[in-house]
Structures are given as C-alpha cells and as structure tokens.
Amino acid sequence: MPAATKDAVLGSAVDLARAVAVDLAEDPSDVGEYLGLVVEGERLVSHRFASAARGYRGWEWTVTVARVPRGRTATVCEAELLPGPDAVLGQAWLPWSERIRPGDIGPGDVLPFKADDPRLEPGWTPTGDPELDDVAIDELALARIRVLSPQGRDEAAERWYRGPHGPTSAGALASAAACGSCGFLVPLQGSLGTVFGVCANQWSPDDGTVVSVDHGCGAHSETDSEAPPTDWPAADPLIDELSLELVNLTESSAAPAKTTEATVADEAPTAPTDADVPTEPTEPREPADTAIEATTAPDETDAAPGDAEVTPDEVEVAPVADAAVEPDAAPEPDAAPEPDAAPEPDAAPEPDVSDADQPATRPDPEP
C-alpha cells in the first residue's frame, strides 16, 4: 500500500477544524494554539489544537477532516479531546477486586463472595479418627468451611513482616530489645507463631497488633530508661535543726542500777522446795559419825553422841543450801546432810556459808 501523501485541500482546512473545536468546547478560550496536522490516511487528515481547559493540561483538541476523490471540499469526520504526550491521565481502570485497598471497607460495607479466592482452601473434613480429628479441630482450629491456604499465609507473612510492625520500622530500629523477649507478646497459633505474635501491652503503640518477634518498641517489659543528665549541681544534705529530741538524764542513769539489782536477784540461789529434794531410800541412815544440829530439843547440846540413839524420824534434816541438787541424781545412802542451819522462811538462802553459826551476808541494796 503506498504511503499517504499530504493533501493540499485538507491541509488548508485549519479554520474549519478550529471552528468545530470551539463549538465542542464549553468556552472558546479553552481552544489554544494550533499544534499541526497528522496525515491519518488517503484523503484523511487530523488537525490538533492545544487545550487550555482547566484540568486538561497536555490534552489536545483533534478534528479529523476528509474529502471524496477529486473533491475540492473538506468534510469533518470527527472531533474529540484526546490526551497528548504530556497529558495528565488518571489511573487505569481496574476491577473492584483489584482496585480495593486496605482501609476502603467502612462500617456497613460488605464485600461480594469470591468462590475462587486463591488465599483460601477447603477446611478440615472429619474423618472419624479421634486422633486426627482432635489435632485438626481442637489444636489447629481447621473445622471451618474454608481456611487460609499456603498462598494466603505467605502473602500475610510477607505483608506483616515488610509493614510498619516488622523489624525495619523506625520504632523497631530505635528500641533496645526485640518483642521476642517481651513478656507482653502472645504467640500466634500454627506456623505463623514462629515469626509473629500479638502485642498485649496497653502502653505500647502496637497494642492489639500483630508484630514480628524481631520488632520492638519503647514499652518492652525488660528494659528501663536512663536518667537524663542535668547541669544542676548536687544539692547539699539538709540538716533538720528544728526537731528536738528530749532525753531524761535521770532515768537513763538509773537504768543501769536497776539492771544490776535485777541481775543480782536472778543470780541469788533460791531455797529448794520439797519437790526438788530427791526421795531417799527406805533403809534408815546411820548418823553415828555426823553431828546434827537439832532445833527442837534444847538439851541435846549436853548429851554425848553415844548416850542416846537417834533415829532418822526424830531428826529434822536441814536442806542443803550450798550445793544445787540435781533432780535426776540420787544422793549416796551413807552421806549425811551438811550441818548448815535451815534458812528462815522469809529470808533468802545464804549462797557461800561454811559455818552454821556464821551470820548470813547479803548484798547491800542500792539506794
């Protein structure tokens, strides 16, 4: 087919093409300067005019004219506003399934059902085997009509990991520790739980959000903030000169004396009771070689030891005050009680008296 040549009749129809463009535009000023012509074919030429209309920068008014063979008159075929090389164009048309973006679904909006969604696959069908059904239904939660497919799981993991809750976010790079060691991280179930978890810290900017284990924020459970440096000098210690503590010197000096008196009273031996003296054997004692002081008979001092036989029942034995008698140890049968005077009922026993006639000594009480 021979190449189209320039047509003189159609090439000179510039005024006709402008008039048609002005009629097509809302305002005559929307038709700008003449941009030239384009030979579309045999006896077919398009004239172009710049568009000055608001919002159509780079667009062109295009008027196509033609003529019949051997004709001398140009005829308008079509006129329209077409985008030029530098035109500002809108996005290409996409179906709703590809055009929708996160956040476009508002309250009350419902997406149409998509039966062939590649992100889903049929769920678990019970087989009757308790072992398999318990794992699939109770542990993996697959008892649904459709569950996440491997493609949907991989897409979600890639989207979450590369998103603002992954390791490359500004908060994760500035954090001191990762979410994997935080006590507020709740791991997910299944294979996604090895990489992701849900944040359960109300002070964290990611509270209630799926985060990766290598994500991080300033609300980590095991980190702490350092005290900022200050230019203020350290304050001197404060001395409280207004509070007074009243001390009674008389009572404080008398306290050691009372303590000493109480100590002496505790250390003084007490008179043994009948319960402390062990029971003697039933066989009688022979007090032939021991002098016994009798308090009941006044004329025993003149009698010789061999004049009268003294039985154990007639002699009042004075308790021994010098030595403490152990309850568990019984005295020897042949031992006679020491000739110490029996202590008065109201008087304290004399601790170290060797002679019965020596008066008892007591510590002088302090005033």
Side-chain angles (χ1 to χ4, degrees):
M1 180 178 181
T5 59
K6 187 176 180 180
D7 193 307
V9 176
L10 299 179
S12 60
V14 176
D15 295 339
L16 175 61
R18 177 178 288 275
V20 173
V22 170
D23 293 340
L24 184 63
E26 295 182 358
D27 192 334
S29 61
D30 293 342
V31 180
E33 60 180 348
Y34 180 66
L35 300 178
L37 60 86
V38 177
V39 178
E40 304 290 350
E42 187 69 22
R43 296 184 297 275
L44 188 62
V45 176
S46 297
H47 296 276
R48 300 180 297 111
F49 302 90
S51 173
R54 181 179 300 178
Y56 288 90
R57 186 186 63 183
W59 288 66
E60 302 172 354
W61 297 101
T62 304
V63 180
T64 304
V65 294
R67 68 178 180 86
V68 298
R70 299 182 181 182
R72 299 293 179 179
T73 304
T75 305
V76 178
C77 295
E78 59 182 5
E80 56 186 349
L81 184 62
L82 298 178
D86 300 332
V88 178
L89 302 177
Q91 296 182 355
W93 184 88
L94 295 174
W96 68 266
S97 58
E98 300 177 10
R99 187 170 61 250
I100 192 171
R101 291 292 180 267
D104 292 346
I105 304 300
D109 297 339
V110 179
L111 288 177
F113 178 78
K114 190 175 181 179
D116 56 348
D117 194 338
R119 300 171 300 174
L120 301 174
E121 64 182 8
W124 178 264
T125 302
T127 60
D129 188 351
E131 184 176 357
L132 297 178
D133 293 344
D134 292 345
V135 174
I137 297 175
D138 297 337
E139 297 183 10
L140 301 180
L142 300 178
R144 289 166 287 171
I145 299 177
R146 292 190 297 179
V147 296
L148 200 63
S149 65
Q151 178 181 347
R153 183 175 60 251
D154 295 342
E155 291 180 359
E158 183 72 17
R159 184 173 62 254
W160 294 346
Y161 199 78
R162 302 301 179 188
H165 305 292
T168 58
S169 63
L173 296 177
S175 62
C179 294
S181 59
C182 182
F184 294 102
L185 182 70
V186 181
L188 295 181
Q189 191 178 27
S191 59
L192 290 176
T194 59
V195 186
F196 301 99
V198 178
C199 178
N201 189 354
Q202 61 177 342
W203 306 118
S204 172
D206 303 319
D207 181 32
T209 307
V210 176
V211 296
S212 61
V213 294
D214 48 1
H215 181 68
C217 69
H220 196 279
S221 63
E222 307 303 326
T223 59
D224 193 5
S225 60
E226 298 181 357
T230 177
D231 296 335
W232 291 94
D236 296 334
L238 298 178
I239 300 176
D240 189 1
E241 299 179 350
L242 300 179
S243 298
L244 300 178
E245 182 180 359
L246 300 179
V247 179
N248 193 343
L249 299 179
T250 304
E251 294 181 359
S252 61
S253 60
K258 294 180 179 179
T259 305
T260 306
E261 183 179 354
T263 305
V264 172
D266 293 341
E267 294 179 356
T270 58
T273 59
D274 296 340
D276 297 334
V277 179
T279 306
E280 296 182 356
T282 55
E283 56 185 17
R285 262 182 213 177
E286 298 178 3
D289 299 333
T290 305
I292 301 175
E293 180 180 1
T295 59
T296 57
D299 54 348
E300 285 182 356
T301 56
D302 299 333
D307 294 341
E309 183 179 359
V310 181
T311 61
D313 297 335
E314 297 178 355
V315 179
E316 181 180 357
V317 181
V320 179
D322 292 340
V325 180
E326 296 181 359
D328 298 333
E332 297 179 1
D334 297 337
E338 297 180 2
D340 294 338
E344 298 179 1
D346 297 336
E350 292 128 16
D352 297 322
V353 178
S354 60
D355 192 358
D357 297 335
Q358 184 179 357
T361 58
R362 299 183 185 177
D364 295 335
E366 294 183 5

